[in-house]
Amino acid sequence: MYHKLLFMSTPMGAIGSGLGGGVELTLSNIATEMLRRGHKLEIVTPQGSISNSLPIKEIPGELIQIPAQNQSRSDPIVLHKNSVLANMWDYARQVQADYDLIVNFAYDWLPLYLTPFFNCPIAHLISMGSLTDVMDQIIEQIAINFPNTIGVHSQTQAATFTFAKRCICLLNGLDLSIYQFCPKPTQNLAWVGRISPEKGLEDAVAAAEITGIPLKIFGFKQDISYWEKICQEYPNAPIEYVGFLPTVELQKELGKCRSLLVTPRWIEAFGNVAIEALACGVPLIAYRRGGLTEIVQEGKTGFLVEPDSVQGLVEAIKHLDEIDRQTCRQQAETLYSLEAMGDRTEEWFQKILRN
Ligand code: UDP
């Protein structure tokens, strides 16, 4: 059965900007797969998005300025004048009769709060673990009153909430045809992600300094002063900032690296960059934290390291030759293909529509 779906993007930034983190890729991938399966859909997104042939409706307004990951537990909700989030949901309210299901990809209070006020059912794909009390409370309320509507990316992410059992775990998926397997890497290590304190880039830089192995850094500089501080603290580390690259170029560069270091300070809900690396045949060296604990197959597709231990990273780097890159690609093909993600997502949508 075909559905009419309205996808609501994150109000952090336009699709293609990098401001939206992993959500940008997740939304584009799920949209591509749903269209391939014959569903009809439109994507509502902040103005300036790059469409990549996907049907988008751009909405003007002020972007969200305080990332959820920079807030403390008791912080309240703040909305600015002419908020793009509010404008996007006003648009959704007006067109809701044309759709069977609205799918919310934003980690924001407003869409959750609005859920009971809409006639059209809303699925919420929650992209972060527990961060603030006000978000936990509203997500729980919706999980209780609208069963099956809360989706998450990993069991570890769900476990950060008191209502873990009410969450539907979807993992994530990639268009593997875009990611080329690279059998013979260079000596370089890679680090990929938003450059922001919760991502712990400095530990990867410290490991590069200790081992003398060059580290290539890819990603959007969300926090410039954080980046400058790292450069000052590690002036001799063999690092190269490559930039924020579109997926096609990112995979080409990432594929050539010996390993991806994933060093989050927070509970990473999933870690898109980890499965992108696997898709290119790149082994993971990751802190034993969040969704990464479910992605890394210890000793087979990478190594899990004691969180915040630079020495642990350095030790793991010494064992990289034990990992077969083909096994990494194989894991991506088995668990994270767009088809596999599409099956999990469609099943989730059907559960909600049967409610
Ligand atoms: N990314 C990219 N180009 C780059 C670096 C990163 O497109 O040069 C994307 C990457 O593909 C991933 C996202 O940025 O989808 C980061 O998402 P992740 O889930 O790892 O972390 P988040 O930013 O959501 O916390």
Side-chain angles (χ1 to χ4, degrees), residues 21-22 25 192 194 199 218-219 243-245 266 268 272-273 276:
L25 185 71
V192 185
R194 279 180 301 106
K199 294 290 190 175
F218 307 87
F244 176 79
L245 306 185
W266 71 338
E268 187 88 40
N272 276 353
V273 298
E276 293 184 88

Side-chain angles (χ1 to χ4, degrees), residues 98-109:
D98 301 337
Y99 294 93
D100 302 317
L101 181 68
I102 298 174
V103 188
N104 169 38
F105 289 81
Y107 186 88
D108 283 290
W109 179 85

Side-chain angles (χ1 to χ4, degrees), residues 212-273:
I213 303 174
L215 176 74
K216 290 203 168 215
I217 300 167
F218 307 87
F220 177 72
K221 284 184 190 161
Q222 192 171 35
D223 187 333
I224 302 277
S225 61
Y226 168 66
W227 165 254
E228 285 169 353
K229 197 163 153 253
I230 294 176
C231 294
Q232 274 162 16
E233 276 176 23
Y234 301 93
N236 301 319
I239 60 172
E240 179 193 347
Y241 174 68
V242 187
F244 176 79
L245 306 185
T247 305
V248 174
E249 284 151 49
L250 174 66
Q251 65 83 29
K252 207 156 112 199
E253 295 303 316
L254 175 58
K256 288 186 239 164
C257 295
R258 267 184 82 200
S259 173
L260 176 75
L261 305 185
V262 200
T263 49
R265 298 262 181 255
W266 71 338
I267 297 198
E268 187 88 40
F270 190 70
N272 276 353
V273 298

